[in-house]
Amino acid sequence: MLDDDPTPSVDSTPSVNTGTGARARAHIDTSKPHSARFWNYFVGGKDNYEVDREIGDQIKGIFPGLVDVAVTSRHFLGRAVRYLADEQGVRQFLDVGTGLPTADNTHEVAQRAAPDARIVYVDNDPVVLAHADALLGSTPEGRTVYLNADLYAPETILEAAADTLDLSRPVALMILNTLGHVADHDQARDLVNRLMAGLPSGSHLVVSDSTATSEGMIAASEAYNASGAVPYYVRSVAEIAGFFDGLDLVEPGVVQVPEWRPDLRGPAAPAAAVDAYCGVGRKP
């Protein structure tokens, strides 16, 4: 979601992409690791380069549990989207910090449950832009678009998303494994609050992020940040919970990602414990 330059950038004219020519417009730097490609490697994807696999293997040696974090976080996405579409009747999803497409992306899960669902993916990452075509499938009844915009410009995101989503009706704001790229916790909370401020009552916030809950995860984060990639900062559980201030937390609250409404019929049994927490909150 963030450029290789960690300095916040605001693009006042975000572009909505329907897939045509996305790969040709993207410039991808393969000289240093990249968070989207690194995560893609950990979840078994093929959209990564040797530099990403090298740091991935190094971090596996330091903290093998990070693979479980990646996989279980992906499963949480599916459970959260199914809950929102099936049980809460949500038909609009704003996925900020999209990442690289794999199996069961937000639009696939949502439109499987509700064919008329509308999804806006948001990222300003050239790697993700290059793969935007794969994110833009849609049922005839629904719609999926990719918005090239910056997390640091919440109002710009909302304005552009309004071309696809009806912001007078509930929207599920998905920010998964992205807020850790914002170094300052207060700034991260402000960005979340500004996005939620533009959404109506009945909207939901879905957040997951890695946490500083073990020495292994802290060491893995430090090794990753030293690699030259855009830094990712692991936070305390209390800081993750702080993103939901003012919202009604959905049971079971802020928990480790495998513990959020586990579905034992899913693709894998939950890990015993992972250094990543998540939650879903409803705007009153």
Side-chain angles (χ1 to χ4, degrees), residues 183-229:
D184 183 78
H185 181 248
D186 288 339
Q187 182 179 25
R189 286 184 60 180
D190 177 67
L191 294 171
V192 171
N193 291 340
R194 286 160 62 189
L195 285 166
M196 289 301 296
L199 304 179
S201 174
S203 293
H204 288 75
L205 172 67
V206 183
V207 168
S208 68
D209 262 309
S210 300
T211 49
T213 43
S214 76
E215 292 183 2
M217 175 56 86
I218 294 169
S221 175
E222 291 173 348
Y224 177 78
N225 292 348
S227 72

Side-chain angles (χ1 to χ4, degrees), residues 30-146:
T30 61
S31 66
K32 56 187 175 181
H34 190 284
S35 61
R37 303 190 313 244
F38 169 83
W39 211 245
N40 177 264
Y41 174 53
F42 270 17
V43 297
K46 298 181 180 179
D47 296 312
N48 48 74
Y49 294 90
E50 182 177 357
V51 67
D52 309 300
R53 295 187 289 272
E54 286 178 352
I55 186 63
D57 290 340
Q58 177 187 340
I59 289 177
K60 283 181 186 179
I62 296 171
F63 181 55
L66 192 56
V67 176
D68 290 333
V69 168
V71 172
T72 57
S73 295
R74 190 69 187 180
H75 294 165
F76 164 68
L77 179 154
R79 298 196 306 277
V81 171
R82 284 193 294 272
Y83 163 78
L84 292 168
D86 286 340
E87 299 186 36
Q88 299 301 310
V90 175
R91 295 295 180 267
Q92 303 187 109
F93 295 81
L94 179 59
D95 189 330
V96 179
T98 302
L100 287 170
T102 57
D104 282 346
N105 302 292
T106 298
H107 75 281
E108 294 168 322
V109 179
Q111 292 181 343
R112 195 177 300 139
D116 61 336
R118 291 185 163 226
I119 296 86
V120 173
Y121 289 109
V122 181
D123 215 304
N124 71 342
D125 189 323
V127 176
V128 179
L129 175 61
H131 293 82
D133 291 358
L135 288 166
L136 294 172
S138 177
T139 58
E141 303 94 328
R143 191 179 181 201
T144 304
V145 302
Y146 174 84

Side-chain angles (χ1 to χ4, degrees), residues 230-251:
V230 177
Y232 184 96
Y233 303 94
V234 291
R235 295 193 161 102
S236 69
V237 178
E239 288 174 319
I240 301 298
F243 293 127
F244 297 96
D245 286 351
L247 305 179
D248 297 329
L249 270 173
V250 173
E251 291 293 334

